[in-house]
Amino acid sequence: MISNLRSTFKDIKSIDTLIVTGGTSNIIDQDMVKDTFEKVVFVLDAELANVRGFYKYGLTEVGD
């Protein structure tokens, strides 16, 4: 995951905070990621975080 983040974000130092969501964030070595990157946040209920975000985004697209 660390090498993927480094290759995906060429200028990783320009990112203020990495917010890690999704079920995989529960099975990776979070300490290793925190030691590698300056500011990392692992969200609570990571498995549902993406679903909640997509739902909220969907609500903004539907309109009233």
Side-chain angles (χ1 to χ4, degrees):
M1 178 181 161
I2 291 171
S3 63
N4 281 342
L5 285 170
R6 285 188 173 144
S7 66
T8 301
F9 301 105
K10 302 297 184 203
D11 189 16
I12 195 103
K13 297 224 182 256
S14 68
I15 297 173
D16 294 327
T17 305
L18 291 173
I19 301 172
V20 185
T21 65
T24 302
S25 68
N26 293 326
I27 61 173
I28 62 172
D29 186 344
Q30 292 183 5
D31 290 330
M32 183 184 294
V33 176
K34 289 176 184 176
D35 290 343
T36 304
F37 300 106
E38 227 172 278
K39 181 84 175 184
V40 180
V41 174
F42 287 88
V43 299
L44 298 175
D45 295 327
E47 305 86 359
L48 299 176
N50 292 340
V51 173
R52 288 185 183 116
F54 287 125
Y55 176 74
K56 289 178 182 179
Y57 176 75
L59 291 177
T60 65
E61 292 297 306
V62 171
D64 293 315

